[in-house]
Amino acid sequence: MTTIKRYRLLIACPDRPGIIAAVSNMLSHKGCNITGFDQYSEGLDGGLFFMRAEFDDPSFAEEDITLAKEMQLLSESYQMQWRLAEAQRPRYLAVLVSTEDHCLNELLWQTQRGDINAQIRVIISNHSILEPVAERFQIPFHHVAVTKGQKHNSENEMLALIRDYAVDTIVLARYMQILSPEFVAQYPARIINIHHSFLPAFAGARPYHQAYQRGVKLIGATAHYVTAELDAGPIIEQDVRRVDHRHQLEDFKRLGRQVERAVLARAVEWHVSDRVLVYGNRTVVFPT
Amino acid sequence: MTTIKRYRLLIACPDRPGIIAAVSNMLSHKGCNITGFDQYSEGLDGGLFFMRAEFDDPSFAEEDITLAKEMQLLSESYQMQWRLAEAQRPRYLAVLVSTEDHCLNELLWQTQRGDINAQIRVIISNHSILEPVAERFQIPFHHVAVTKGQKHNSENEMLALIRDYAVDTIVLARYMQILSPEFVAQYPARIINIHHSFLPAFAGARPYHQAYQRGVKLIGATAHYVTAELDAGPIIEQDVRRVDHRHQLEDFKRLGRQVERAVLARAVEWHVSDRVLVYGNRTVVFPT
Amino acid sequence: MTTIKRYRLLIACPDRPGIIAAVSNMLSHKGCNITGFDQYSEGLDGGLFFMRAEFDDPSFAEEDITLAKEMQLLSESYQMQWRLAEAQRPRYLAVLVSTEDHCLNELLWQTQRGDINAQIRVIISNHSILEPVAERFQIPFHHVAVTKGQKHNSENEMLALIRDYAVDTIVLARYMQILSPEFVAQYPARIINIHHSFLPAFAGARPYHQAYQRGVKLIGATAHYVTAELDAGPIIEQDVRRVDHRHQLEDFKRLGRQVERAVLARAVEWHVSDRVLVYGNRTVVFPT
Amino acid sequence: MTTIKRYRLLIACPDRPGIIAAVSNMLSHKGCNITGFDQYSEGLDGGLFFMRAEFDDPSFAEEDITLAKEMQLLSESYQMQWRLAEAQRPRYLAVLVSTEDHCLNELLWQTQRGDINAQIRVIISNHSILEPVAERFQIPFHHVAVTKGQKHNSENEMLALIRDYAVDTIVLARYMQILSPEFVAQYPARIINIHHSFLPAFAGARPYHQAYQRGVKLIGATAHYVTAELDAGPIIEQDVRRVDHRHQLEDFKRLGRQVERAVLARAVEWHVSDRVLVYGNRTVVFPT
C-alpha cells in the first residue's frame, strides 16, 4: 500500500519577490517532490501572482494537516488565498440539461473513460426527454420542472439534490434556463456553462440565429463560469469552426454541436484538474 | 500569339429550374470551355441563385462583345444581374493606411509576387510615416491629411486620386479614419476594410483593449466590405488566434497583426479573382 | 404524399467542352431541378472531369428508370463512369472494431442523431469487450475471432455477415487487424479506415509511439479508403492537434482520440452523402 | 540610467527533489525578482529536469559575474547544464537563402519591427537574385557560390563571414543546399532550417511534389535544428494548412509559402528568446 499522495496547491496573492522560493522551500523541507509547477505574475507594481504546484507527498496521509498548517503560516506573511486539493480524488459533478444530448453525452463518455477525472453524480433536467441517456449510463436522473413564477421552488429542489449528491461542480450542458443570482451566489466559480457562440458576440437567446443573420464566417462556443450577469462570466475556453454561405441555420447548429461539446469537455477537464484560477472577470488557465 | 482569353461570368438571379442549362448551353454554343464552375442556390421558393463560371473563349478578342450580347438576352429572361470580367487583367488597387505597416507590407509582397493578381496603383495616408515603405516598392504615395471639420475636402482629394489612378478597389489597410456615407456610396462592395476583432464582437474603437478587458481566449480579425454603418458591412473573411492569460495588450496587438494581414490578404485575393458576391448583408465566397 | 425524389448524380469522364451543358440540359428536359452542383476538371489536355449534381425529380418514382436510360446514352458519347443515388436513403454500414470505443461511439451517436445519414446495421469485432456498447444502442454485435493461420475463415465469416446485413460500406473504427487483399478487392472504395497518424508519416504499427519518438509538435489522424497496400489508400480527410514536450505517450493517445473520431466521422459523412470520388490514389471531396 | 537588468537562466539536469527551491532561493538571496518561470520534468526515476527563469537583477551590471559564480556552485551539486543570457540583447543572425524570398522577407520585417528580438547581420546566398531585397533593408549581402566539388571552400567562406559578423544563430530560410556535417558540428542547436513539409512525412527533395502525389489533405512546414542527418534534427515548430483536390502543385507551393514563413518566424522568435531547450532529438519549448 502506497503512502505517497499527490496534491495540488493553488495560490493567488499580491506579487512580491521571493514567493516561489518561500513555497518551494516549504515543500522541499517537508520532503515533497514537485512534479508540476506553473506560475503567472501580473508584475511587481501592484499586480497579482498565481501559482499551481503539483507534488508528491511521501509522508503519511494524516500529514497533510501539517502541510495545511505550514501553508496557513505562509499565507499570512504573503496575503495568500490558497487551496490544497488531492489530485487523485475525482471531482463530483451535477450536470443540468434540457433537451439537447450532445454535451451530456460527451461528458458521460469522457468521465466514464477517465479522460476527465470526475464522476457525474446526478443529471437534473427541466424535461424528461434525456432520462434514457442517464439510464444507459446508470446515472441518477431527476426531473425538476421549471414553472413560470415557481422558479424559486425549482431551484431549491435542485440545490437540495446538489447537496445530497455532495456535488463539487455544476455543469450547465445546454441547460436553457437562467439561474437566479441567489443560486449562482452559492457556487462561485463552480458553475460552468457552455454558450453556443463566440462570446461576447451573440450573447443571450438564439446565438446561431444571430450568427446566421450577421453572415459570420466562423461560428464558436464559449465555456465560462456563471455569474449573476447573463453570459458575462469569466471565460475558460473558446473555439470556433469555419462556415460558409452554403451553411444554413440547421448546419450552424449541427456543426456547432461539435464545437460546443469539445469546448465544454476541455473546460470541465481543466476545472477538475485545478488548472483554472479566477480573478476579477478573467481566468488563468494553466496548460495541460 | 494566342487568341484564347479567359473570362469570368458572375450571375445572381431568382432561382428557377434550368439556369445552369441555359448558361452552359450559351457558352457551349459559342465554343467556350468551362474551366471552373461554382453555383449556390438558396432554394426554389423565392430564393436567389448565384453562379461563377470561368471559361476560355477561343474566339477573336473582339468577340467578347457578342458574348455580352448573348448574356444580355439571357439576363432578360431570367432577371439576372451579371458581370463579365477578364480573368488575366490585374485589378487596380488603392491602399489607404495610417501608421501601421503590417497589412500594407503583406499586400505589397503578395501583389508584387503575383500571389494576389492585382496592382497597387497608389498608397494614400493621413500620415507620412509610411512613405518610405511606398518608396521601397516604388509605388506612388500621397499624403492627404484629415483635419477636423475638413473631412469633406480630404475625401474629395482622395476620390480624385482614386479616379486618376483608375482604381477598381479600395483597401483600408488599418486606415484609422471613418469614411463618410457619401464616399462609401460611390464604391459599393468595392471598399474592403480589415477590422482587428472577430466581428460583431468588439466593433468600433480599440478592439484589442475591449478583447483584453473581456478576457477572451481567442483574438480575431475580420475583412468586410465597407457600408454606411460602421463595422457592419458584409463579412468576406474572418480568422482567430489563441491567446491566454500571459498575453498582455501588447501581445494581443503583436499576435493580432499576423491574423490581420493574413485575413486581409485572403479577402483581397478572393475579391480580385471575382469569388465574392454580395447579397443583402452577406457574401457568397466561392472557394479558391 | 410527395412524388418528388432527390437524387445525386456522380460522373467521372475525360474532360472535353460541353459536358456541363449536356448533363444540365438532360436534367432540365426531364423537369429536374438542380439543388447542388459541383464539378472539378483537371483540364482539357487529357485531364479528367468530375461532377456531382443533386437534384429533385418531380416525376413518379418509377421514372428514375428513364433517367438512368438517358444517362446511359450520354455516358456512351462522353465515356462517362456514372452513378445515380437516392439522396434520402440512409446508407447501411458495418463497423469493425477491436477494443477501443471512441470511434464507434462517435459513429453511433452521429448516425443515431441523424448527423450522418446512415444506419449502423452490424458491429463486428475480434474481441467481445465492446458488446455492451452495441447493446446500449441495440445494434447487432458479432464476435468474429481472428486466429493465427485462420484469417481466411474469419474473413469469410465477416463477409457473410456483411452480405446478410446488406451493408454498403465497411468502416474500420480502430479495427487493429489487416484485411487480406481478397477481402479488400470485394469492396473497392467502400472500406474506410481511420489511421491514428498524419499519413504518410508513421504508417504501420504504433503510430503514436513513432510520433512521440520523433518529437513532433502536431499529432494527426487520417481517414482513407483501404487498398491492398497497408495505409496507402486514397486519403479522404486528415486533421491534426497541437502537442508539446509535456505530453507523454498516454497524452498523445488521449488527445489523438478526439482527432480520430472527428476525422472518421467527417469521412463517413462525406462518403455516405456521395461527396467522395476516387481516381488513381487520390480523392475529389466535394465540400459539404 | 537604470541599473536593473533582465536575465534568463536556462537549466537542464537530472531531476531530483529540491531543484526549484535551490534555484529560487539563490535568486531570492541575490534580490532578483522572478518575472517568468517555466519548468518541465520527465519524472524522478532517472528523468531530466528543465527550467527557464526570467528575472530582474537590481544589482550593478558587473554583479552578474557573482550570479554566474553562484550558479557554478549550484550546478556542481545538481549536475546542471546551465546558461545565463541577457534578455534585452538582440541575438545576431545570419540568414542563408537561395532564390525564394518569402521566408527572408518575413524575418526582415519581424526583426525590423521588433517582433523578433534579433538583428540580421548578414544575408548569404548561393545566388545573387535576392541581393536587391537585402539592399532594400540595408543588410550586408554576400554571394557565396556553391560549385560541385568545391563545397568545402564555400563553407569555409561562409564560416568566415559568420565569424566576422559575430553571428549567434544561422537561419536557413529556404537555402536549398545541404550543409556538411563538419559545418553543422560547429553550431549545434544553433542552425535553424525550415523544411516545406510536415516532417517526417516528405523529407528530402521536392516535398510539395511528394505531398501532391500522395493526395494529402493538409500541407505543412517544419522548423528544426539542423543535425548531420538530413531533415531529422530536433523539431521546434510545425504547422499545417488545408488543401483539397482543386489545388495543383503550384497552389501547394503558394499556400505553403504562408505556412513556411509563419512557422520559421515563430521558431526563430522562440529560439532568440531562449525558449527552446534541446535534449536528445527533442525540444522543450516553453510557451511565449
Side-chain angles (χ1 to χ4, degrees), chain A residues 39-42 198-202 211-219 224 231-240 242 244-248 252 266 270 279 281-287, chain B residues 39-42 198-202 211-219 224 231-240 242 244-248 252 266 270 279 281-287:
Chain A
Q39 66 88 40
Y40 168 65
S41 166
E42 292 188 303
F198 181 81
L199 287 175
F202 315 127
Y212 184 73
Q213 281 308 315
R214 181 60 187 91
V216 291
K217 299 299 182 186
L218 299 169
I219 53 170
H224 63 96
D231 296 334
I235 294 170
I236 305 169
E237 170 64 337
Q238 305 188 287
D239 212 343
V240 293
R242 202 159 271 278
D244 64 39
H245 58 271
R246 290 166 309 197
H247 295 114
Q248 301 304 307
F252 275 42
R266 285 203 293 270
W270 296 342
Y279 65 115
N281 204 42
R282 312 160 70 83
T283 59
V284 169
V285 181
F286 288 124
Chain B
Q39 65 89 40
Y40 168 65
S41 165
E42 292 188 302
F198 181 81
L199 287 174
F202 315 127
Y212 184 73
Q213 281 307 315
R214 182 61 188 91
V216 292
K217 299 298 185 186
L218 298 170
I219 53 170
H224 64 95
D231 297 333
I235 293 170
I236 306 168
E237 171 64 338
Q238 303 188 287
D239 212 342
V240 293
R242 201 159 270 278
D244 64 39
H245 58 271
R246 290 167 309 198
H247 295 114
Q248 301 304 306
F252 274 42
R266 287 203 292 271
W270 297 341
Y279 66 114
N281 204 42
R282 309 161 71 83
T283 59
V284 169
V285 180
F286 289 124

Side-chain angles (χ1 to χ4, degrees), chain D residues 32 40 59 61 78 109 111 129 134 154-155 157 171 178-179 186 197 230 286:
Chain D
C32 299
Y40 168 66
S59 57
Y78 287 88
W109 183 72
T111 51
I129 192 172
S154 308
E155 290 198 344
E157 195 180 338
V171 182
I178 297 171
L179 298 174
Q186 298 199 30
S197 85
L230 184 66
F286 289 123

Side-chain angles (χ1 to χ4, degrees), chain C residues 232-270:
Chain C
I235 294 170
I236 306 169
E237 170 65 336
Q238 304 187 288
D239 212 343
V240 293
R241 194 203 182 282
R242 201 159 271 277
V243 288
D244 65 38
H245 58 271
R246 289 166 308 198
H247 295 113
Q248 300 304 306
L249 184 53
E250 284 311 304
D251 301 306
F252 275 42
K253 290 179 183 172
R254 177 175 53 87
L255 299 169
R257 285 197 284 270
Q258 315 296 337
V259 187
E260 291 168 38
R261 56 190 177 113
V263 165
L264 180 60
R266 287 203 292 272
V268 172
E269 184 202 338
W270 297 341

Side-chain angles (χ1 to χ4, degrees), chain C residues 196-197 202 206-219 243-253, chain D residues 40-43 200 235 279 281-283:
Chain C
H196 38 310
S197 84
F202 314 129
R206 310 180 91 200
Y208 289 132
H209 286 77
Q210 296 182 55
Y212 184 73
Q213 280 308 315
R214 182 60 187 91
V216 292
K217 300 298 183 185
L218 300 168
I219 53 171
V243 288
D244 65 38
H245 58 271
R246 289 166 308 198
H247 295 113
Q248 300 304 306
L249 184 53
E250 284 311 304
D251 301 306
F252 275 42
K253 290 179 183 172
Chain D
Y40 168 66
S41 165
E42 291 188 303
I235 294 171
Y279 66 115
N281 203 41
R282 310 161 71 84
T283 59

Side-chain angles (χ1 to χ4, degrees), chain D residues 8-11 34 36-40 49-54 87 270 273-277 286-287:
Chain D
R8 296 184 195 123
L9 176 61
L10 289 304
I11 293 175
I34 296 174
F37 188 96
D38 289 289
Q39 65 88 40
Y40 168 66
F49 172 88
F50 303 92
M51 210 194 89
R52 177 188 188 272
E54 204 166 75
W270 296 341
S273 53
D274 300 305
R275 298 187 170 282
V276 190
L277 284 85
F286 289 123

